[in-house]
Amino acid sequence: MGNLSLLITLNLSLNMLEGVIPSTLGNCHHILSLFLNDNKVNGKIPVQLLQLSSLSIVLDLSQNNLFGSLPIEVGNLNMLTTLKLSDDNFSGNIPSSLGGCSSLLRLSLKGNLFQDTIPLSLNSLKGLAVLDISHNNLSGHIPRFFEQFKLKYLNLSYNDFEGEVPMVGVFVNESAFSVLGNRRLCGGIIELGLPKCKETSKFTKKLHLYLIVTLIASALFTATCLAYAWCKKKRKSHLSQSSTCERHLKVSYSQLLKATNGFSESKLIGTAWRNLRHRNLLKIITSCSSIDFQGNPFKALVYEFMPNGSLHDWLHSSGNTSRLNLLQMIKILIDVANALDYIHNHCLPTIIHGDLKPTRFLGTSYQNNSTGIRGTMGYIAPEYGLGSEMTSNGDIYSFGILVLEAMTGKHPTDDIFNEDLCLHKFASRALLDNVIDIIDVNILNLYQDDRIVLQNNEENAKKIEECLTLTIKIGVACSMDSPTQRMDVKKVVRELQRILDTLENIYGTLFIIQV
Ligand SMILES: *[C@@H]1O[C@H](CO)[C@@H](O)[C@H](O)[C@H]1NC(C)=O
Ligand SMILES: *[C@@H]1O[C@H](CO)[C@@H](O)[C@H](O)[C@H]1NC(C)=O
Ligand SMILES: *[C@@H]1O[C@H](CO)[C@@H](O)[C@H](O)[C@H]1NC(C)=O
Ligand SMILES: *[C@@H]1O[C@H](CO)[C@@H](O)[C@H](O)[C@H]1NC(C)=O
């Protein structure tokens, strides 16, 4: 089966298949849905299956005889919306990596032997609408973060949970959740008929507080003493053997003072970087300022490694790498727009990216030494060519080109473009005619895969077409020649979010029809 590497959906449910799941299924790099439920397969889940990051609709392994722990690689399935592992024989802890499956809408671990507490990392599964972990051996308190989820159904029955049942969010509606068969629970809404929770008396609370304060105070004291002793020792050893530091050259204050002309304004390139924190921006892990083996100055910023590569790789690589579908693409565009909104509108001072594009930042950047403007051909705003100062509007232009490239699969410097026809024009013409003609066929994977369903549902087909048109409109509106006519990034985020909501609703109904 592993040779069928172009499979998009594999449905083997409701058979009498035995034996183990072949690890060669890991070659089906395009697969969106895999149904193996209601068979008699046994053994462990092959790790290769969990490395199929293309899985974005369903992975259903329920009602089999699978056993062993759930491998931590499950966290790779970050596009997956439905994961069903119910009524197998899985055991061990729920791995905290499961928190990486942040697209999940439905998760069922019901009827297994999972034990211990629910990991805190599941806090990140904020989109969950359906969660069933009934009939396991889970213990500890019911996590408070479930209160914040948009859960429509939560089943915690027949476990060994203890402590208070919350009374907020899903826990308000008796028919939306179940905590039956957990003997040590208390509180919750009155309909549950559980005993009241024993209040910790004021005295014990005070005592706890006092203990904590004392503990912190003594810990601080100890830490200070240790640090003092350590510094003293360090200074001594530093004096005696200063040559050991050569391999990790550190910059001293006096060196910095000298190099920056006494921290002069003219040498300042930014003060905001340390505080830049956004989930769609890469964190700078550390910096390195040293000399290389030839004795030349060497400076580097060290970023977190992104193993899935760049958007450019996903758009233009040929061969057997899996492609992104429409839903995934819109999510990426929202992430980029959110990061832009953050650096433009929520950082002080405002930060201009200046070189937004789908590749990693290394590459053939363009730098005009006379104006100090940098950027990349194809993505650089036209006004920069006329010597304009860099503004956030310039970033919006690059974003618009990125949207159009993502949707059409056409590089802005593609051979078909010339002085008379650029990507922006190409797209805006199609808006007057037929948008579908310019959309990258790979994005339409979902659309084609589910054509049969959609044929019977013209309404959905029409909605998808509308979403495509709206997205192209955003790309065109962001890449207008005139900076002031470009769309506001906040509006971009809002409109893309609306498109995503529509698509996710369609996905939801497709799922129901398929199952
Ligand atoms: C499930 O696991 C338990 C204990 O590990 C074992 O006794 C039982 O036979 C298993 N059930 C199935 C259906 O494999
Ligand atoms: C349930 O979990 C506890 C530890 O949390 C363990 O001692 C016990 O054996 C488990 N029960 C089963 C049936 O696996
Ligand atoms: C919750 O799960 C238990 C056991 O799987 C089941 O008996 C019960 O009907 C479920 N509750 C609801 C409200 O569906
Ligand atoms: C309570 O939950 C049920 C089942 O999910 C749902 O049909 C109903 O609309 C909910 N009621 C309220 C007031 O949210």
Side-chain angles (χ1 to χ4, degrees):
M1 300 236 57
N3 288 343
L4 303 176
S5 59
L6 295 176
L7 274 183
I8 287 173
T9 300
L10 177 59
N11 190 343
L12 297 170
S13 57
L14 292 155
N15 283 291
M16 310 236 280
L17 294 168
E18 296 177 4
V20 299
I21 302 177
S23 60
T24 52
L25 281 183
N27 296 335
C28 301
H29 285 294
H30 291 268
I31 201 151
L32 304 175
S33 302
L34 174 57
F35 299 88
L36 279 174
N37 52 297
D38 296 85
N39 279 288
K40 292 179 180 172
V41 292
N42 56 40
K44 300 188 172 184
I45 302 186
V47 168
Q48 291 84 345
L49 201 65
L50 302 175
Q51 280 160 347
L52 283 173
S53 52
S54 59
L55 274 171
S56 53
I57 304 185
V58 185
L59 175 59
D60 191 346
L61 304 175
S62 57
Q63 305 269 6
N64 279 293
N65 299 328
L66 294 165
F67 57 77
S69 53
L70 180 58
I72 52 168
E73 285 81 0
V74 70
N76 294 335
L77 301 174
N78 59 352
M79 303 281 190
L80 189 64
T81 49
T82 300
L83 178 60
K84 288 178 146 192
L85 302 174
S86 49
D87 300 309
D88 276 295
N89 219 0
F90 293 113
S91 54
N93 293 8
I94 297 177
S96 52
S97 62
L98 189 59
C101 302
S102 54
S103 303
L104 280 182
L105 302 175
R106 305 168 198 85
L107 171 63
S108 179
L109 303 176
K110 167 185 145 224
N112 284 290
L113 298 168
F114 285 113
Q115 63 179 42
D116 216 337
T117 55
I118 297 177
L120 274 179
S121 62
L122 296 204
N123 191 6
S124 57
L125 305 185
K126 293 197 168 34
L128 272 186
V130 175
L131 175 60
D132 192 344
I133 50 176
S134 60
H135 275 295
N136 275 288
N137 187 14
L138 295 163
S139 52
H141 288 260
I142 297 177
R144 299 304 287 246
F145 54 74
F146 284 158
E147 294 174 0
Q148 316 299 332
F149 287 15
K150 295 177 211 148
L151 286 163
K152 295 201 174 72
Y153 178 78
L154 173 65
N155 200 334
L156 306 172
S157 304
Y158 303 103
N159 279 290
D160 193 23
F161 289 114
E162 64 181 303
E164 187 167 12
V165 177
M167 287 198 279
V168 180
V170 66
F171 299 98
V172 170
N173 181 350
E174 189 198 357
S175 46
F177 79 103
S178 169
V179 292
L180 284 176
N182 289 278
R183 283 166 299 117
R184 300 193 285 156
L185 287 176
C186 63
I189 52 171
I190 205 147
E191 289 86 346
L192 299 177
L194 292 172
K196 270 198 177 150
C197 299
K198 287 198 194 79
E199 257 196 67
T200 8
S201 77
K202 280 214 175 108
F203 176 70
T204 20
K205 262 190 196 159
K206 247 189 194 156
L207 194 68
H208 282 166
L209 193 67
Y210 176 75
L211 270 177
I212 290 169
V213 170
T214 320
L215 276 176
I216 291 178
S218 57
L220 274 178
F221 179 71
T222 319
T224 318
C225 291
L226 282 175
Y228 179 70
W230 183 77
C231 284
K232 242 175 132 174
K233 200 171 151 205
K234 187 87 195 278
R235 196 174 301 162
K236 258 191 200 155
S237 67
H238 190 75
L239 285 177
S240 59
Q241 36 165 199
S242 58
S243 60
T244 55
C245 284
E246 268 165 19
R247 270 207 288 160
H248 305 282
L249 191 69
K250 296 215 172 88
V251 186
S252 73
Y253 179 79
S254 60
Q255 281 170 309
L256 272 182
L257 187 74
K258 205 168 151 206
T260 57
N261 277 350
F263 299 108
S264 114
E265 285 279 318
S266 65
K267 302 279 177 186
L268 185 67
I269 57 167
T271 54
W273 304 106
R274 197 169 58 96
N275 298 320
L276 272 188
R277 278 198 188 87
H278 189 271
R279 67 191 176 88
N280 303 127
L281 293 174
L282 283 186
K283 271 198 280 288
I284 297 179
I285 295 172
T286 184
S287 62
C288 170
S289 181
S290 181
I291 48 170
D292 65 14
F293 291 140
Q294 278 78 44
N296 304 312
F298 174 84
K299 292 181 200 300
L301 295 175
V302 182
Y303 286 89
E304 195 182 335
F305 178 61
M306 295 277 107
N308 287 340
S310 67
L311 180 58
H312 179 272
D313 300 343
W314 285 84
L315 285 174
H316 302 293
S317 64
S318 53
N320 55 3
T321 41
S322 60
R323 294 295 188 88
L324 300 166
N325 66 33
L326 180 57
L327 196 64
Q328 293 164 332
M329 195 63 86
I330 299 292
K331 283 185 183 175
I332 290 173
L333 296 179
I334 291 181
D335 284 349
V336 178
N338 267 321
L340 269 190
D341 179 31
Y342 173 76
I343 62 171
H344 288 170
N345 301 318
H346 302 280
C347 287
L348 261 179
T350 292
I351 290 166
I352 311 295
H353 186 296
D355 197 10
L356 189 68
K357 58 188 171 187
T359 41
R360 290 171 204 246
F361 40 93
L362 283 176
T364 47
S365 282
Y366 158 85
Q367 175 150 17
N368 182 332
N369 282 331
S370 60
T371 58
I373 300 283
R374 338 180 289 116
T376 301
M377 281 304 173
Y379 304 92
I380 188 169
E383 68 270 19
Y384 290 175
L386 304 173
S388 286
E389 243 180 60
M390 295 177 86
T391 64
S392 49
N393 281 330
D395 282 350
I396 300 292
Y397 179 89
S398 312
F399 177 74
I401 297 296
L402 185 143
V403 170
L404 296 178
E405 178 175 352
M407 299 302 291
T408 61
K410 293 251 180 306
H411 202 275
T413 56
D414 194 291
D415 287 341
I416 66 162
F417 300 127
N418 51 40
E419 281 131 57
D420 300 321
L421 184 69
C422 59
L423 183 53
H424 170 88
K425 226 181 224 174
F426 176 70
S428 47
R429 273 187 202 165
L431 280 177
L432 302 173
D433 191 11
N434 189 2
V435 168
I436 299 291
D437 289 346
I438 63 162
I439 302 290
D440 183 2
V441 287
N442 292 298
I443 293 188
L444 294 176
N445 243 344
L446 161 77
Y447 187 58
Q448 287 172 345
D449 175 32
D450 297 301
R451 199 162 38 195
I452 305 152
V453 179
L454 289 173
Q455 263 169 7
N456 301 332
N457 193 337
E458 225 167 83
E459 197 189 335
N460 277 348
K462 208 176 256 166
K463 274 190 201 158
I464 292 186
E465 249 180 81
E466 253 168 50
C467 288
L468 293 169
T469 308
L470 284 174
T471 314
I472 293 289
K473 274 189 181 157
I474 293 173
V476 167
C478 289
S479 57
M480 298 296 280
D481 272 352
S482 153
T484 52
Q485 279 179 13
R486 291 176 202 149
M487 203 165 179
D488 176 61
V489 70
K490 284 200 186 310
K491 193 169 171 202
V492 171
V493 171
R494 262 201 318 272
E495 300 221 336
L496 283 173
Q497 189 60 52
R498 213 177 304 145
I499 292 170
L500 182 66
D501 290 346
T502 310
L503 289 172
E504 276 186 338
N505 273 334
I506 297 175
Y507 252 77
T509 56
L510 284 183
F511 167 70
I512 290 164
I513 294 166
Q514 281 179 347
V515 172

